[in-house]
Amino acid sequence: MGQCPSTSRRHQQRCRRRKLPTSSPSHAPEAAAVNALVADDSPAVAEDYTADLPEELLAVVFGLLGSGDRKRCSLVCRRWFAVEAASRLRLALDARAPFLAAAPGILARFPAVSKLALKCDRRSESIGDSTLSLVADRLGPGLRRLKLRSLRVVTDNGVAALAAAAINLRKLSVGSCAFSAKGIEAVIRSCLHLEELSIKRLRGLADSEPVAFSGLRLQSLCLKELYNGQCFSSLITQSPNLKTLKIIRCYGDWDPVLQAIPKEALLVELHLEKLQVSDRGVAALSGLEVLYLAKVPEVTDCGLAALATKSPCLRKLHVDGWKANRIGDRGLAAVAQKCASLQELVLIGVNLTSVSLELIAANCPALERLALCGSDTFGDVEISCVATKCAALRKLCIKACPVSDAGMDKLAQGCPRLVKVKVKKCQGVTLECAERLRASRNGSLAVNVDTPGGASELQDARSVDESGVLENAGSDTLPDDLDDRIGGPDLSCGSSGRPSRWKARMGALMSRSLSVSTFLRRPGNVQWNGAPCRFSKVWPFPRQLTCS
């Protein structure tokens, strides 16, 4: 029996879509040839081109991949799984309480880990001493860097057990934990190779006794948001190799601690922020090369001048005057006269004039980076002084200062080595001035101008942050402490799960128009699959949907 016309037509259409000849008798030889060709191209067992590569070379290739690519490569075959696990050096783990059940398998899979991060959510219960003991047994001798975040169940005994096993530890970072200074003392006593120590928001210091040990090889110490942080004064005054000291938002009087630092100390970098420090503590320091003074209103021109006299090799100076007007031309003039090696100067809320600028330009020929923010006295006269006398200047940042086009135009003929200029929140500077300035250097000068009506970036370049510090925001180099995330979500983004760069961009986007909130607002109670739900944040986007 023959086929109906509709059936034959559908068969021909299917063959035409596949680009195959129809089954008519006249095309039988071509159909047979095509079928043989399709049969030859059928999927076969893929050849493993990495079978001849040694495992050491395969591990090097895995080391060049990111965390996500490494995870995907480990699922290709058993050999890749074993090589990837044996060659992984960095590991970040979700340290909530349920991690204890999976810890033996995860730690056994990655025996070569030398950089470990244990991070717990601030609203969850963390692991305890038993998990730290397990980490000490599996990874202790090989650990070089350790980061502990929000481990509120861990005690001094757990930290001491881990420190006793991690004898080769070089760097320790502790934040938002609940153990006391005895745990830190156990680390210093056991880890003789410790070089970097960061202690942030340690909750158990209220009744802690002073730490009696000093770090023989300790080079960097950071104390942040501590109550009774003076119990670590011996680490500051008795560590012979300490070079970098950061004390940020710590309670209490810190003048006695700074005064107790010996004159022969190797301290070259000092950060003081939101601290009770006066001229007595600052004047006692000597030999500094990098100094950050942020929101320390008790430090005046006298203290800065005394420090400059004892630190002739000062290279970087950052001062956030906090509109207190305690530091001005007198202190900066002393810096200009005593510190001829000054290369970077960042002034925030400091009212300087051309008097100190002329001294800085005349006595500091190596000055390459200059940033001024929130200065009421830095105007066209001062910018003209910079343009005519700062011959070595390469980067200039001006924010919220009374400068205008008349002063900015002076930069076209001055500062021959200038490569970048950024102007932000200066109402007297227009986009036309930026165009003229850029055209004067034939496009070799990166000009970034933010006007009250909008922002205009005339050339892609590296940015300057809010505090005026010059940073390499456009660099492709990954940070050294970037950890691979295994066993949990990405905890480096903070409690909200969003990275800080994302928050900054969304904040800038949302600040343009607040009227959008009336359109993006969600109702308080909605239905989700038949169950009542509520949004924890209704503007501008719901962060979390909770169903009951």
Side-chain angles (χ1 to χ4, degrees):
M1 299 179 63
Q3 295 180 344
C4 63
S6 60
T7 304
S8 178
R9 190 179 300 109
R10 286 197 300 268
H11 175 68
Q12 293 177 1
Q13 291 175 355
R14 285 198 302 269
C15 293
R16 194 177 299 111
R17 285 196 299 266
R18 296 154 111 189
K19 295 183 179 180
L20 296 177
T22 59
S23 58
S24 60
S26 60
H27 295 86
E30 291 127 342
V34 172
N35 292 334
L37 182 61
V38 173
D40 292 339
D41 292 341
S42 60
V45 178
E47 182 180 356
D48 185 5
Y49 294 100
T50 65
D52 297 334
L53 294 179
E55 293 185 354
E56 293 79 6
L57 183 57
L58 197 58
V60 172
V61 175
F62 288 156
L64 302 176
L65 302 178
S67 175
D69 292 335
R70 287 183 67 109
K71 295 176 186 178
R72 286 183 282 271
C73 288
S74 65
L75 302 177
V76 171
C77 61
R78 294 183 179 180
R79 181 170 180 256
W80 285 24
F81 182 87
V83 173
E84 192 278 331
S87 62
R88 184 182 286 268
L89 302 178
R90 300 179 179 181
L91 196 61
L93 299 175
D94 187 355
R96 286 178 285 188
F99 171 69
L100 178 60
I106 294 178
L107 297 178
R109 177 185 171 187
F110 304 103
V113 169
S114 61
K115 303 175 184 179
L116 178 64
L118 298 175
K119 306 178 183 180
C120 178
D121 188 84
R122 295 183 179 181
R123 295 176 292 272
S124 304
E125 182 181 358
S126 69
I127 59 176
D129 294 343
S130 57
T131 308
L132 284 190
S133 300
L134 183 61
V135 172
D137 295 338
R138 300 294 179 90
L139 306 177
L143 282 181
R144 298 295 186 272
R145 297 185 180 183
L146 179 62
K147 183 182 296 184
L148 305 178
R149 288 290 184 272
S150 302
L151 304 185
R152 290 183 170 84
V153 184
V154 173
T155 63
D156 294 330
N157 297 329
V159 177
L162 180 59
I167 57 176
N168 297 317
L169 195 65
R170 299 293 198 277
K171 180 178 180 180
L172 174 63
S173 178
V174 177
S176 301
C177 295
F179 53 87
S180 65
K182 292 182 179 179
I184 302 297
E185 184 176 349
V187 173
I188 299 171
R189 187 188 304 111
S190 302
C191 306
L192 301 180
H193 301 282
L194 190 67
E195 298 177 354
E196 297 183 29
L197 177 60
S198 178
I199 307 173
K200 303 177 182 179
R201 297 179 296 276
L202 195 60
R203 307 302 183 187
L205 297 180
D207 301 326
S208 296
E209 297 294 332
V211 175
F213 285 83
S214 61
L216 297 179
R217 297 189 178 183
L218 189 65
Q219 299 181 7
S220 177
L221 176 62
C222 177
L223 306 177
K224 184 177 181 180
E225 297 180 10
L226 299 180
Y227 183 81
N228 191 23
Q230 289 82 356
C231 63
F232 298 112
S233 58
S234 61
L235 289 178
I236 301 174
T237 59
Q238 300 179 15
S239 297
N241 294 312
L242 186 64
K243 297 180 180 179
T244 302
L245 175 61
K246 300 179 182 180
I247 309 177
I248 303 172
R249 295 191 293 274
C250 294
Y251 298 97
D253 186 9
W254 287 88
D255 281 338
V257 179
L258 297 181
Q259 289 175 333
I261 297 178
K263 296 182 180 180
E264 62 275 7
L266 301 179
L267 187 66
V268 295
E269 184 173 351
L270 179 64
H271 295 236
L272 303 177
E273 180 178 346
K274 285 188 177 181
L275 215 62
Q276 185 179 344
V277 175
S278 66
D279 291 339
R280 297 190 303 273
V282 173
L285 302 173
S286 61
L288 294 181
E289 297 181 6
V290 179
L291 176 62
Y292 288 74
L293 293 176
K295 298 177 176 63
V296 281
E298 296 184 18
V299 178
T300 65
D301 287 330
C302 297
L304 183 59
L307 184 142
T309 303
K310 299 179 181 179
S311 302
C313 297
L314 192 67
R315 296 181 292 104
K316 295 182 180 181
L317 176 61
H318 290 223
V319 179
D320 186 350
W322 211 17
K323 291 295 183 179
N325 295 328
R326 305 296 298 274
I327 295 178
D329 282 336
R330 289 183 55 192
L332 295 176
V335 172
Q337 295 172 356
K338 303 296 182 180
C339 306
S341 303
L342 191 66
Q343 298 177 3
E344 181 174 323
L345 179 62
V346 177
L347 302 176
I348 304 173
V350 177
N351 292 329
L352 77 164
T353 63
S354 58
V355 176
S356 57
L357 274 176
E358 289 180 357
L359 291 175
I360 293 174
N363 299 329
C364 302
L367 185 65
E368 296 181 351
R369 297 174 293 274
L370 178 62
L372 300 110
C373 177
S375 176
D376 297 333
T377 58
F378 188 84
D380 291 340
V381 176
E382 286 71 24
I383 195 65
S384 300
C385 176
V386 172
T388 56
K389 298 186 178 182
C390 294
L393 194 66
R394 295 178 59 86
K395 296 182 180 181
L396 175 63
C397 176
I398 305 173
K399 178 180 177 181
C401 295
V403 297
S404 65
D405 290 352
M408 295 298 298
D409 286 336
K410 300 293 184 180
L411 293 175
Q413 289 77 29
C415 300
R417 300 182 60 186
L418 195 63
V419 296
K420 180 177 180 181
V421 176
K422 182 170 183 179
V423 182
K424 189 173 183 180
K425 296 183 179 180
C426 297
Q427 298 182 0
V429 181
T430 62
L431 297 179
E432 291 75 9
C433 175
E435 290 284 358
R436 293 193 301 269
L437 187 59
R438 180 172 179 263
S440 65
R441 304 295 177 94
N442 297 324
S444 62
L445 179 61
V447 183
N448 191 338
V449 176
D450 179 14
T451 61
S456 173
E457 186 172 356
L458 302 179
Q459 184 173 343
D460 293 336
R462 297 172 182 176
S463 63
V464 183
D465 64 2
E466 292 295 329
S467 63
V469 182
L470 302 166
E471 62 177 1
N472 298 336
S475 176
D476 295 331
T477 305
L478 295 177
D480 183 53
D481 57 349
L482 182 64
D483 294 321
D484 293 337
R485 277 80 185 177
I486 293 294
D490 187 356
L491 298 176
S492 65
C493 299
S495 59
S496 64
R498 293 183 175 92
S500 58
R501 289 183 181 271
W502 189 91
K503 291 181 180 179
R505 293 176 181 175
M506 291 305 299
L509 179 63
M510 288 181 285
S511 61
R512 296 180 181 178
S513 177
L514 296 180
S515 62
V516 183
S517 62
T518 58
F519 300 98
L520 295 179
R521 188 173 297 276
R522 304 293 194 271
N525 296 317
V526 296
Q527 295 290 329
W528 182 268
N529 291 336
C533 307
R534 61 181 179 83
F535 289 102
S536 59
K537 186 175 180 60
V538 297
W539 181 87
F541 301 106
R543 285 190 176 182
Q544 183 179 4
L545 185 63
T546 306
C547 298
S548 56

